[in-house]
Amino acid sequence: MSFDGALIKEQGVTFAIAVVKPYVLTSPEKESIRLGFMRYFGNIPIILMAQNQKGIPTYDGRKDIVRFLANIHPSRIPWRHYTAT
């Protein structure tokens, strides 16, 4: 499995963002998918992010972190490609 994501520490809060397909944000499996990313990032808040056709992101997760992310441009996020074995 490989995915794009980011590990961020901001204002004393450490959290991760995992990029997913848009359908995941409305899937009944969303929470189990979120929990699955904990094996890569540890027991920290996991924010799921999907982009629409225009590249506009939608974030899903802890509300305070989602509000923070909504106010910054995605290019400021330290994205990384993760490859898991």
Side-chain angles (χ1 to χ4, degrees):
M1 175 180 158
S2 65
F3 63 95
D4 292 324
L7 183 60
I8 300 172
K9 183 171 185 176
E10 185 67 37
Q11 301 174 4
V13 177
T14 301
F15 62 94
I17 305 171
V19 178
V20 297
K21 299 285 185 190
Y23 73 86
V24 171
L25 299 184
T26 58
S27 168
E29 306 288 320
K30 176 176 66 175
E31 292 310 316
S32 62
I33 291 168
R34 185 188 320 277
L35 290 173
F37 284 110
M38 286 187 169
R39 84 177 84 152
Y40 306 105
F41 295 113
N43 190 23
I44 60 174
I46 306 292
I47 306 301
L48 302 177
M49 188 276 278
Q51 293 179 298
N52 68 13
Q53 306 90 323
K54 295 180 181 181
I56 298 170
T58 299
Y59 299 99
D60 182 87
R62 210 170 95 181
K63 294 189 184 313
D64 60 329
I65 298 171
V66 168
R67 273 193 305 273
F68 167 75
L69 291 170
N71 290 310
I72 66 168
H73 194 275
S75 65
R76 294 185 50 212
I77 296 172
W79 298 109
R80 208 180 123 197
H81 187 75
Y82 292 85
T83 302
T85 55

